Amino acid sequence: MQVKTQKHKQNKYTVRKKILFAIVGVFLFLYSLTYIFMLGWALLSSFRDKLEFIREPLSWPQQWDFANYLDAFDVLEVGGNNLFAMIFNSLWYSVGGTFISIFFCNVTGYCICKYKFVGRNAFYNVAILIMLVPVVGAMPATYRLLDTLGMVNTPLYLLTMTGGMGFNFLLFYGFYSNVSWEYAEAVFIDGGGHFTVFLRVMLPQSMPMCFALGIVSFIGLWNDYNSTLLYLPDFPTLATGLYLFQYVPSIRADYPLYFAAIIMATIPVIVLYACFQEAIMTNSVAGGLKG
């Protein structure tokens, strides 16, 4: 009798769980449709004529006009930088920022996790505390400090990403906490030093995680318009340009041209994430032997 009661409770719990998952699934499906609809509408609108878009903004394009994608490189300009220059700025900003931030978060996470020294716990607590401070609240002091150091409006701004803190630091800290220190002890027995342990043993093990976090970081920096707008005004990225174009009367009146630029900025991110989404999900949390 007791066994039947337990099975009845388990079946009841399973039914409730399925109903809850179904409701959440429907909600997320409808939520995703809103993004798909807007992206699809922008894609179709990028092939319209300006007058056609004004007359019938929600209809299927009568004539597929690919000239908008070519005209975008000639018409769209910010501070003397055309679309090619903005794409170049996006590349060096995203690639350089990704490499610097991931490397220093990796090193910081490894050192804090595996080495015991004075202030170790304090550094970890400060890293957590910084994540709780609103970015907007610290922005005036940050700008004044960087301006005093001569790091505003120069590629030297990328050096601000060498702090080694943030969410990626916590992920690397958790990763190295699951890597056995026996690897390092084996290197020490063979006469290797601490740099050898990190560069030849620990770093190779963390490469899948570096790759996954690097993709996410690259996408975030590619879409970041606020930082470059504030700290790199003479080096507008594609995201910054798209943000500023909406305030230009001539561009604002030609939505198909504007949508063409948006699609060109969005497609690389979508393709990158679609190709490596499995690597992002599987390698975000990885480890070796339990230490």
Side-chain angles (χ1 to χ4, degrees):
M1 186 67 179
Q2 186 176 1
V3 175
K4 291 183 179 179
T5 304
Q6 291 178 352
K7 289 183 177 180
H8 178 71
K9 290 182 178 180
Q10 290 178 355
N11 293 334
K12 189 175 182 180
Y13 173 75
T14 303
V15 172
R16 289 181 179 178
K17 186 169 64 173
K18 289 182 178 179
I19 294 175
L20 178 61
F21 284 169
I23 295 175
V24 174
V26 171
F27 174 78
L28 293 177
F29 175 74
L30 295 176
Y31 182 71
S32 63
L33 283 181
T34 60
Y35 285 92
I36 296 174
F37 171 77
M38 296 306 298
L39 182 62
W41 178 70
L43 178 61
L44 293 177
S45 298
S46 66
F47 295 104
R48 302 176 190 272
D49 180 78
K50 180 170 64 174
L51 297 179
E52 180 187 350
F53 176 83
I54 297 175
R55 292 194 303 266
E56 300 176 351
L58 297 178
S59 65
W60 194 265
Q62 298 178 0
Q63 294 181 350
W64 294 82
D65 189 3
F66 293 88
N68 290 327
Y69 287 86
L70 299 177
D71 294 340
F73 288 92
D74 297 327
V75 177
L76 302 181
E77 183 177 309
V78 174
N81 296 273
N82 58 16
L83 212 60
F84 285 110
M86 286 183 278
I87 292 175
F88 175 75
N89 292 333
S90 295
L91 286 174
W92 69 257
Y93 177 74
S94 302
V95 174
T98 297
F99 177 82
I100 293 174
S101 62
I102 294 299
F103 176 77
F104 280 92
C105 287
N106 194 338
V107 174
T108 306
Y110 169 72
C111 293
I112 299 300
C113 179
K114 291 301 184 182
Y115 292 95
K116 296 181 180 180
F117 54 89
V118 178
R120 171 174 174 248
N121 294 331
F123 186 94
Y124 182 84
N125 293 331
V126 169
I128 300 295
L129 181 62
I130 289 177
M131 296 178 63
L132 302 177
V133 178
V135 177
V136 178
M139 191 172 293
T142 302
Y143 184 88
R144 183 170 183 178
L145 174 62
L146 296 181
D147 186 45
T148 302
L149 296 175
M151 300 174 65
V152 174
N153 207 21
T154 171
L156 292 176
Y157 172 74
L158 293 180
L159 295 179
T160 61
M161 303 179 186
T162 60
M165 294 188 182
F167 185 67
N168 288 341
F169 159 74
L170 296 180
L171 292 179
F172 279 113
Y173 182 91
F175 166 80
Y176 284 116
S177 64
N178 291 325
V179 177
S180 176
W181 190 244
E182 293 178 359
Y183 295 127
E185 293 176 348
V187 175
F188 294 149
I189 293 175
D190 292 337
H194 293 282
F195 285 101
T196 303
V197 171
F198 177 73
L199 294 176
R200 295 191 177 183
V201 178
M202 299 297 179
L203 184 60
Q205 290 188 78
S206 68
M207 287 308 296
M209 188 174 180
C210 290
F211 180 73
L213 295 180
I215 295 174
V216 176
S217 179
F218 177 87
I219 294 175
L221 292 174
W222 180 273
N223 294 327
D224 180 22
Y225 69 90
N226 186 55
S227 298
T228 53
L229 181 65
L230 182 62
Y231 299 108
L232 298 171
D234 290 344
F235 299 90
T237 61
L238 198 55
T240 303
L242 292 175
Y243 174 78
L244 294 176
F245 290 155
Q246 61 183 324
Y247 298 105
V248 179
S250 59
I251 303 300
R252 187 169 52 188
D254 193 349
Y255 277 104
L257 182 69
Y258 183 58
F259 286 145
I262 291 177
I263 294 300
M264 285 190 289
T266 305
I267 287 180
V269 174
I270 295 177
V271 172
L272 184 65
Y273 184 81
C275 293
F276 299 105
Q277 60 176 329
E278 185 176 354
I280 294 174
M281 298 302 297
T282 58
N283 295 326
S284 294
V285 180
L289 300 175
K290 276 285 184 178

